[in-house]
Amino acid sequence: MTDTPARLLNLLSLLQTPREWPGSELAERLRVSPRTIRRDIDRLRELGYPVEASKGAIGGYRLVAGAAMPPLLLDDEEAVAIAVGLRAGAGHAIEGIEEASVRALAKLEQVLPSRLRHRVTTLQSATIPLTRGDGATVDPQTLTVMASAVTGQERLRFAYRAGDGTESRRLTEPVRLVSTGRRWYLVAYDLGRDDWRTFRVDRVSEPFATGARFAPRALPTGDAAEFIKRSMSRLQPAYRVEVSFAAPAEFVAARLPASLGAPEPVDERTCRLRTESADSLEWLALRLALIDCEFTVRAPVALVEYVSELGGRLTRAGKA
């Protein structure tokens, strides 16, 4: 193999397999001399790939963890598996990794060959997740188009359906995608309204990056997450919630969304949650019921009444 760039890529692909490769086996695989392998290993190290050599009569090479993440080479099956996994993380807002999933998915899908992109789409459309939260699902492709526009600072066009069903076309300067754990929102400057807006991504369709670049404007709040929080507080009533749990604080905290805050320990076996939430009472009641411990709702009265009603409904359903 006389093509040096192609040989380096093949060598890198072999080294990314989690095993140690004797120099003689690498030379045989690539049809070059052991001396050429040693030279190519030095080139990979210069490019930032941490290749470790072991001593001995035969000697061997393997790729180890380094200080930075170098580019990876993936075969077809690996690329499809990663893309499907990232789509799952992006589309269903797995807390803590959802934004990273979208960024990684946007990068991966940008370089996926069309044949692999088709396989990923086919597999995704043929599977249904067991849970869908509140029913507001997001197309991962919509997220990746938006993420690319945000990263590339490109103006974004899309169709939007408001909460009352009104449909419109928007031209925006997108600055950030924000996940609240249950929903995705886009923070963008709406050129048609000449003002900042938040858009629920599950209500967006036909997103299209125009290619026109823009200089980012300063958000009024300075932070996209804070902007979302203030926008939601204007649209939804906030509830002052107080709940007591017959379980340790760490047990409850591990089963509650971070957006609700951290429970305070009362003693080793009980804790209390005091928070202000703009989520619906129905969603709050269901989240509490999923914690798998005894609890008592102290406030608000509307939540106390709803939990009581829900409990009665479930009891009657169990007797049917």
Side-chain angles (χ1 to χ4, degrees), residues 230-257:
R230 293 187 185 182
S231 297
M232 291 176 67
S233 66
R234 289 195 299 268
L235 297 173
Q236 296 176 297
Y239 301 99
R240 294 186 181 276
V241 178
E242 182 175 348
V243 185
S244 297
F245 300 92
E250 58 270 17
F251 176 89
V252 175
R255 289 157 178 80
L256 275 179

Side-chain angles (χ1 to χ4, degrees), residues 258-297:
S259 58
L260 289 178
E264 307 167 356
V266 176
D267 53 41
E268 293 182 355
R269 296 184 177 182
T270 63
C271 64
R272 176 177 54 218
L273 175 69
R274 290 174 174 170
T275 185
E276 187 169 299
S277 173
D279 283 299
S280 68
L281 293 179
E282 294 84 355
W283 181 83
L284 282 170
L286 290 173
R287 287 299 311 186
L288 293 172
L290 291 173
I291 295 177
D292 195 25
C293 72
E294 296 294 322
F295 66 91
T296 303
V297 178

